[in-house]
């Protein structure tokens, strides 16, 4: 779609004062999918030259905001880590064409803050942390589960940039379980639940996304009972935090969340034993 309100595209390599009507341009797959009447100028990040994915000496994994889904998928295929299968599962949750895979970025998916964003699911499920850079150059780090505050709502301030997401080394050693549901065979995720079992201390984390307006990550020192898991979800997610749109009613999303969380509890609980 043509954005007929945009009158200028600026190269992000050449800093300039942020002004009203500015917006970051990554892959543009969402940006160009619908009218953006509030935008007047796009700041293009595509030439920043950031390494898409890199493994740090401490074992953590840093994913640049400009990393495309295709690049992340390709990297994960060669990743030697217990959690490696989760990357491809979340990439496939896009249910998108190769054209989208080659343009859509991890940072763009996070920046949209939509409940069905599978990069939100992946990075929240592996306890990721966003690196944010303000227009002043000030940097801060925010956990992904805290970065998204509601459907389409984030903690970003005016002109603030998502630079990267870092996944801790310990999370990559976890055994994972993945469940996803959609009302349609090739539809947007209505529910996406991720479980991680820590081999070091036997703790279990259940991350709820797509069915709720924001991600929820529930941590248990040991795999809980079915009743304890259900009670934890009920206590964490308020009635008005179950997402409601054309892709699924809140009642269905809630039901499937409990069902999949229990399946994951059993799957990873048996692995722990």
């Amino acid at each position: 779609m043509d954005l007929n309100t945009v009158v200028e595209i600026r190269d992000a390599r050449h800093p300039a004062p942020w002004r009203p009507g500015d917006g970051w341009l990554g892959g543009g797959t969402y940006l160009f999918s619908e009218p953006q009447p509030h935008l007047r100028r796009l700041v293009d990040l595509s030439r920043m030259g950031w390494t898409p994915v890199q493994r740090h000496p401490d074992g953590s994994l840093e994913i640049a905001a400009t990393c495309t889904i295709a690049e992340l998928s390709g990297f994960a295929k060669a990743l030697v880590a217990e959690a490696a299968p989760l990357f491809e599962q979340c990439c496939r949750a896009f249910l998108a064409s190769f054209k989208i895979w080659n343009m859509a970025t991890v940072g763009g998916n996070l920046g949209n803050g939509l409940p069905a964003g599978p990069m939100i699911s992946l990075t929240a499920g592996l306890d990721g942390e966003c690196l944010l850079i303000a227009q002043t150059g000030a940097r801060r780090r925010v956990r992904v589960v805290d970065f998204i505050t509601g459907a389409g709502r984030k903690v970003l301030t005016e002109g603030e940039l998502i630079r990267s997401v870092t996944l801790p080394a310990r999370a990559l050693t976890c055994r994972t379980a993945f469940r996803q549901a959609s009302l349609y065979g090739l539809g947007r995720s209505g529910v996406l639940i991720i479980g991680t079992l820590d081999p070091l201390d036997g703790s279990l984390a259940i991350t709820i996304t797509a069915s709720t307006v924001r991600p929820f990550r529930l941590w248990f020192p040991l795999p809980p009972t079915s009743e304890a898991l259900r009670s934890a979800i009920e206590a964490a997610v308020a009635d008005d935090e179950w997402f409601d749109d054309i892709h699924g009613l809140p009642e269905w999303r809630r039901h499937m969340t409990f069902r999949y969380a229990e399946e994951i509890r059993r799957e990873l609980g048996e692995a722990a034993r």
Side-chain angles (χ1 to χ4, degrees):
M1 172 176 289
D2 293 334
L3 301 182
N4 57 17
T5 61
V6 173
V7 296
E8 182 184 352
I9 297 180
R10 180 171 69 78
D11 190 332
R13 293 175 298 177
H14 308 299
W18 191 265
R19 63 194 191 195
D22 281 359
W24 296 111
L25 171 62
T29 54
Y30 169 77
L31 196 65
F32 291 101
S33 69
E34 60 181 49
Q36 309 288 345
H38 62 290
L39 292 179
R40 298 294 180 270
R41 181 173 68 167
L42 299 179
V43 184
D44 186 7
L45 296 166
S46 64
R47 297 183 180 87
M48 293 299 289
W50 296 333
T51 302
V53 193
Q54 56 183 324
R55 195 81 180 259
H56 291 302
D58 65 357
S60 63
L61 201 67
E62 184 176 12
I63 306 170
T66 50
C67 175
T68 66
I69 307 309
E71 288 171 330
L72 183 62
S73 172
F75 178 90
K77 285 180 172 64
L79 177 63
V80 180
E82 187 69 27
L86 186 62
F87 287 77
E88 188 69 9
Q89 289 170 323
C90 289
C91 287
R92 294 290 171 186
F94 267 102
L95 299 173
S97 71
F98 72 92
K99 293 179 288 185
I100 298 297
W101 267 45
N102 280 285
M103 292 301 296
T105 62
V106 173
N109 198 245
L110 283 162
N112 283 336
L114 301 179
M119 294 299 99
I120 296 172
S121 305
L122 171 66
T123 53
L126 294 178
D127 201 21
E129 186 179 67
C130 299
L131 172 59
L132 309 179
I133 304 178
Q135 286 296 301
T136 61
R139 298 184 172 216
R140 61 180 177 133
R141 294 185 179 273
V142 180
R143 293 178 68 210
V144 174
V145 291
D146 300 319
F147 175 75
I148 309 292
T149 60
R153 301 204 310 270
K154 298 82 60 181
V155 298
L156 286 171
T157 60
E158 183 67 22
E160 197 169 27
L161 169 70
I162 305 172
R163 169 59 181 86
S164 63
V165 183
T166 299
L167 307 178
R170 187 163 175 172
L172 299 175
T173 68
C174 290
R175 180 164 182 169
T176 64
F178 174 93
R179 296 292 190 280
Q180 179 205 22
S182 172
L183 289 178
Y184 320 101
L186 295 175
R188 180 180 296 179
S189 297
V191 183
L192 203 162
I193 313 296
I194 291 171
T196 56
L197 180 67
D198 191 322
L200 295 181
D201 60 9
S203 62
L204 175 70
I206 301 288
T207 303
I208 302 168
T209 56
S211 57
T212 50
V213 296
R214 60 184 177 91
F216 289 86
R217 192 171 190 270
L218 308 179
W219 182 85
F220 305 90
L222 291 172
T225 64
S226 178
E227 294 76 14
L229 175 59
R230 187 175 186 89
S231 295
I233 296 173
E234 289 176 338
V237 185
D239 290 343
D240 61 355
E241 290 180 311
W242 296 102
F243 193 47
D244 183 8
D245 72 351
I246 194 172
H247 299 284
L249 293 173
E251 294 80 7
W252 172 75
R253 294 177 191 264
R254 184 177 186 274
H255 169 76
M256 294 302 294
T257 294
F258 283 116
R259 173 181 167 178
Y260 284 160
E262 173 61 16
E263 288 182 8
I264 288 174
R265 183 195 71 85
R266 293 181 182 180
E267 178 182 331
L268 296 182
E270 291 174 1
R273 289 193 292 272

